[in-house]
């Protein structure tokens, strides 16, 4: 049985002060015996506030990106080691917004994933098709291509420590959530690609999260799908009550 992961991607929202007040509201709403893993990924500058607020709880903190170099003349970048030193233990990599606005490629995402693993972080690697690819029925091609160009380049040992988030871009921030059937089919395909490359055992262990307009009112339908090992939530994770409602559905 794969332990579910309920992850929050705060994107560019919440100062350190706002992060602290989120945790003050959020922690009392949780069941201390929650079976799932809760991961919250604030903006980098708010990570120390989140780490401090979450200490002693079952919540883990992650970054939203990192650079593959350990240190050096890379103005504006943050290394995986720096995230780890700040107390983060997870990191989201290859989010579609990073690919779209900051031109990250599959090979960049692979290098970042390897660097994150070397630093002891657990990566959540995002893949998913664009709206026009979805309309053109190319979802499966995109998934296969992104898997081959990204995570397939990991070693078996590295792959065992990675989670994948399937985030169809047409569902992100649109309110247009994928149906449980669509999400489940995509997850099955990812698991099938994982099996071809890394074997049946590794594919069965792989945790695949769904992301894109997950809300308290659609989480139950998604969580009924055994293929969904959790979710990566944007907008609905910014409010403590709404994210707590999502976590409870795990
Ligand atoms: P929304 O939940 O706001 O659609 O964002 C999803 C996402 O991009 C999570 O990484």
């Amino acid at each position: 049985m794969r332990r579910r992961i309920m992850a929050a991607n705060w994107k560019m929202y919440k100062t350190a002060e706002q992060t602290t007040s989120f945790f003050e509201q959020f922690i009392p709403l949780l069941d201390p015996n929650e079976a799932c893993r809760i991961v919250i990924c604030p903006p980098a500058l708010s990570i120390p506030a989140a780490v401090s607020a979450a200490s002693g709880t079952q919540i883990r903190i992650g970054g939203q990106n990192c650079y593959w170099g350990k240190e050096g003349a890379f103005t504006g970048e943050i290394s995986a080691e720096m995230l780890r030193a700040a107390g983060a233990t997870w990191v989201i990599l290859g989010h579609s917004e990073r690919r779209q606005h900051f031109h990250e490629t599959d090979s960049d995402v692979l290098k970042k994933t390897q660097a994150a693993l070397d630093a002891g972080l657990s990566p959540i690697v995002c893949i998913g098709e664009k709206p026009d690819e979805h309309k053109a029925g190319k979802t499966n091609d995109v998934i296969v291509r992104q898997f081959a160009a990204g995570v397939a380049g990991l070693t078996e040992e590295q792959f065992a420590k990675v989670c994948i988030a399937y985030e169809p871009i047409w569902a992100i921030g649109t309110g247009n959530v994928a149906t449980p059937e669509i999400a489940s089919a995509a997850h099955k395909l990812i698991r099938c690609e994982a099996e071809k490359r890394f074997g049946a055992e590794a594919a069965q262990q792989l945790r695949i999260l769904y992301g894109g307009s997950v809300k308290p009112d659609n989480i139950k339908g998604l969580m009924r799908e055994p293929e969904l090992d959790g979710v990566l939530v944007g907008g609905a994770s910014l409010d403590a009550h709404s994210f707590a409602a999502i976590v409870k559905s795990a």
Side-chain angles (χ1 to χ4, degrees):
M1 184 72 186
R2 300 182 292 262
R3 185 183 192 191
R4 281 186 158 161
I5 300 170
M6 307 307 263
N9 174 9
W10 282 358
K11 311 192 178 184
M12 202 172 70
Y13 292 97
K14 292 197 194 292
T15 61
E17 204 174 299
Q18 291 165 332
T19 297
T20 305
S21 67
F22 172 92
F23 280 92
E24 278 164 11
Q25 286 182 47
F26 182 63
I27 292 169
L29 301 174
L30 298 177
D31 175 348
N33 302 318
E34 214 75 72
C36 65
R37 164 64 69 218
I38 302 167
V39 180
I40 297 186
C41 304
L45 282 176
S46 299
I47 287 176
V51 168
S52 149
S55 114
T57 73
Q58 73 270 50
I59 305 164
R60 298 292 177 270
I61 305 302
Q64 300 173 9
N65 176 37
C66 68
Y67 190 62
W68 56 79
K70 277 192 179 20
E71 57 181 13
F74 301 107
T75 302
E77 290 297 308
I78 294 174
S79 71
E81 281 78 9
M82 288 169 184
L83 285 180
R84 193 73 189 82
T89 47
W90 290 70
V91 64
I92 299 168
L93 294 171
H95 191 280
S96 61
E97 287 150 16
R98 302 257 0 134
R99 294 173 188 260
Q100 183 190 345
H101 303 302
F102 306 100
H103 313 296
E104 281 188 16
T105 63
D106 288 318
S107 89
D108 294 341
V109 177
L110 176 59
K111 283 188 272 186
K112 290 179 177 207
T113 307
Q114 288 161 333
L117 289 164
D118 285 346
L121 296 172
S122 303
I124 300 174
V125 180
C126 304
I127 60 177
E129 78 282 9
K130 297 184 187 127
D132 57 327
E133 293 165 334
H134 175 63
K135 277 203 204 94
K138 293 195 177 135
T139 300
N140 291 1
D141 298 345
V142 174
I143 290 174
V144 170
R145 190 191 69 221
Q146 289 185 337
F147 188 92
V151 280
L154 297 172
T155 64
E156 281 168 31
E157 197 190 333
Q158 289 171 331
F159 180 74
K161 297 183 185 139
V162 165
C163 298
I164 293 180
Y166 169 62
E167 297 209 312
I169 298 168
W170 48 269
I172 296 178
T174 58
N176 192 11
V177 65
T179 62
E181 295 74 26
I182 288 180
S184 182
H187 286 216
K188 276 198 185 117
L189 175 62
I190 294 168
R191 208 174 293 289
C192 177
E193 291 306 294
E195 179 166 345
K196 281 193 233 159
R197 166 69 182 86
F198 296 102
E201 168 78 23
Q204 272 318 305
Q205 301 293 324
L206 172 67
R207 284 172 302 176
I208 308 173
L209 317 186
Y210 165 78
S213 295
V214 173
K215 309 279 178 221
D217 65 5
N218 58 35
I219 184 71
K220 287 203 172 72
L222 291 165
M223 288 295 91
R224 273 197 284 273
E225 294 293 331
E227 270 298 330
L228 272 66
D229 302 311
V231 283
L232 181 55
V233 188
S237 70
L238 294 169
D239 174 80
H241 286 91
S242 135
F243 191 49
I246 290 172
V247 165
K248 280 184 198 329
S249 301

